[in-house]
Amino acid sequence: MKYSRTRMAIAIAGALALTSTLVACGDDKKDSAADANAAVTLNVVGLLPGAKPEAQKALADEVADFQKENPKITVKTKDYEWKATTFAADLAGGTLPTVFEIPFTDAKTLIANGQIADMQSSLSTLSYAGNFNKNLLQYGQGPDGHTYAIPAKSVYAIGLHYNRDLFTSAGLDPNKPPTTWDEVRSAAKAIATKNPGVAGFAQMAKDATGGWQLTVDTYARGGRLEDGKKATLTNDATKASLQFLKDMRWTDNSMGANFDYDWTGINQAFAAGKVGMYTSGQDVYTSLVQTNNINPKQYGLTMIPLTGSDAGVLGGGTMAAVAKTATANEKAAAVKWIDYHYLRKYTNQDAAKKNAEIQVASKQPVGTPELPIFSQQQYQTYQDWIKSYVNVPLDQMTSFTTKVFDAKLVNEPAIATQDVYKSLDTVVQAVLTDKNADIDKLLTDANAKAQRAIDSAG
């Protein structure tokens, strides 16, 4: 499978041109005091809770290889899942590892609040520090131009994930997934009718994921939830998205009986064959294998339907950050780990092959679709390096991978992101649980809550 080299007019927060750019490297005197010979114990984020033993073994092998290369650093991993509802308390309580993961949208707030470490001098030690996509790196940079959070993984675009077996059982062609929202609705009804107890389509609805996925639906219909510092939750695209969910829930009865899914829960249900379709980042296949034991043969990925002149696909990603309390030695060790664990495979052929070999030996996914952290050309080179190791069903994802680079990729709401999402959770829940839910009133109330959060964020 090849990504197009020429059609990368993708935007994050306006315009995301995936080209290599130079990164200005400042001078952080605190980092310069790091002792390269000091012994360091580094606590880092590991896998999601419940990851299979094979995935844990692959991570343990990677840690062991890292420690051979860096005998002065002892790495301890902690299983962890970022959640909007618990992250702030974990950070304030000091229970996070020294190296942890955050969404792109949260980095600026953490920098402004002085809650994560300045990593500029440590980052500048990497040979490829000047090759990051500038438009991605800027999400982790402060007003001083220093880098505090580093693009690490899961630069994603939302896709429509579907169960090929359930499509077949409903008389649908799994090689021709839906391309319009009307076709999604029709397929959901067919799946639910032929498979009692199965949701033809399911939607996340709690812990800020309801608002996240309603934003996905809104963007796909050409709407936006913010205009500068103004909340715009009452836009026509959001109303249409909610009406779509309401019609599937109450007219078609095609959304099953669980309306309280979060990211983890909907992944579990999908892998267990209880959900026919749902929307989430295109990279979720790796988690479905590592944590949910999905059967690769049943998995399919396609583009979400786009309608309207300003329709776009919601995009985002994960950054690696370091605790504010980290010592200079811990920060130096952290960058070495971030390099080894997340990034080196994209810039070094030997590292790419070694990582792939470890994953294959532990029966872990290699080749799950990603979006580039550096340039598209560099990512294509990386794909060529690992081509012989790829073990994911890419031929069941081509209706996504051959189209995503022609789509407009739009960043998440820029201000008070998680609060905006939380204000919409209750709207999604109400529409799915109350047949008489008043969409206009629900959105008016949510818009007021979102505006207060935006105003408070400054």
Side-chain angles (χ1 to χ4, degrees), residues 71 87 131 147 152 165 176 178 181 200 226-227 248 268 297 303 319 326 360 376 386 391 418 428 448:
F87 175 77
N131 296 331
T147 298
D165 290 347
K176 296 180 180 180
W181 288 112
E226 292 180 355
D227 182 5
M248 286 200 297
Q268 291 173 342
K297 293 181 179 179
M303 287 286 293
M319 307 194 93
V360 168
Q376 189 186 6
I386 66 167
N391 59 5
Q418 301 303 327
V428 174

Side-chain angles (χ1 to χ4, degrees), residues 31-338:
D31 280 358
S32 66
D35 181 357
N37 295 314
V40 178
T41 296
L42 188 66
N43 295 300
V44 305
V45 162
L47 300 171
L48 292 171
K52 294 165 57 179
E54 294 88 348
Q56 296 287 2
K57 181 181 183 303
L59 179 59
D61 289 345
E62 187 178 359
V63 168
D65 285 345
F66 172 81
Q67 290 178 158
K68 288 178 183 177
E69 184 175 309
N70 300 275
K72 295 288 186 178
I73 303 174
T74 299
V75 171
K76 294 185 177 181
T77 63
K78 176 183 179 180
D79 288 354
Y80 183 78
E81 179 183 354
W82 184 93
K83 290 187 177 182
T85 51
T86 58
F87 175 77
D90 290 335
L91 181 62
T95 59
L96 293 175
T98 304
V99 180
F100 53 91
E101 298 172 356
I102 57 175
F104 278 12
T105 50
D106 284 24
K108 293 290 189 183
T109 299
L110 296 175
I111 294 168
N113 293 340
Q115 292 175 290
I116 55 179
D118 185 335
M119 298 300 295
Q120 186 63 50
S121 290
S122 296
L123 177 64
S124 68
T125 64
L126 299 178
S127 62
Y128 52 80
N131 296 331
F132 282 99
N133 170 14
K134 183 179 179 181
N135 291 294
L136 292 183
L137 190 64
Q138 62 92 14
Y139 287 102
Q141 291 178 319
D144 56 2
H146 286 201
T147 298
Y148 292 75
I150 302 168
K153 69 173 186 178
S154 302
V155 182
Y156 68 83
I158 295 293
L160 178 68
H161 307 263
Y162 66 99
N163 185 307
R164 293 173 60 86
D165 290 347
L166 290 176
F167 264 60
T168 300
S169 70
L172 304 169
D173 186 347
N175 295 318
K176 296 180 180 180
T179 59
T180 68
W181 288 112
D182 285 345
E183 289 177 359
V184 170
R185 181 177 176 182
S186 177
K189 186 174 181 179
I191 291 169
T193 299
K194 292 291 185 179
N195 300 274
V198 169
F201 182 90
Q203 185 92 346
M204 301 181 213
K206 71 174 186 178
D207 295 345
T209 63
W212 176 40
Q213 290 305 299
L214 185 57
T215 303
V216 169
D217 302 338
T218 297
Y219 286 2
R221 291 173 171 85
R224 301 293 185 269
L225 298 180
E226 292 180 355
D227 182 5
K229 294 185 177 181
K230 180 181 178 182
T232 57
L233 278 60
T234 57
N235 69 84
D236 290 343
T238 302
K239 292 179 182 180
S241 300
L242 289 166
Q243 187 62 52
F244 176 77
L245 294 175
K246 191 174 185 179
D247 289 343
M248 286 200 297
R249 166 67 176 99
W250 297 105
T251 301
D252 301 344
N253 192 28
S254 63
M255 295 189 69
N258 189 336
F259 310 111
D260 199 30
Y261 283 124
D262 60 5
W263 185 82
T264 300
I266 205 166
N267 288 345
Q268 291 173 342
F270 179 74
K274 297 178 181 178
V275 168
M277 294 175 285
Y278 75 115
T279 55
S280 190
Q282 96 285 334
D283 58 329
V284 79
Y285 179 79
T286 294
S287 179
L288 291 170
V289 171
Q290 292 182 337
T291 307
N292 305 117
N293 200 33
I294 194 170
N295 178 356
K297 293 181 179 179
Q298 77 184 46
Y299 179 80
L301 172 65
T302 189
M303 287 286 293
I304 62 170
L306 301 176
T307 180
S309 60
D310 202 26
V313 180
L314 184 146
T318 298
M319 307 194 93
V322 176
K324 178 67 175 180
T325 55
T327 66
N329 290 339
E330 286 174 331
K331 287 197 282 185
V335 161
K336 289 181 179 180
W337 172 251
I338 291 168

Side-chain angles (χ1 to χ4, degrees), residues 1 25 166 220 223 229 289 373 406 418 435 457:
M1 183 273 296
C25 293
L166 290 176
K229 294 185 177 181
V289 171
I373 288 176
D406 293 329
Q418 301 303 327
K435 188 175 183 178

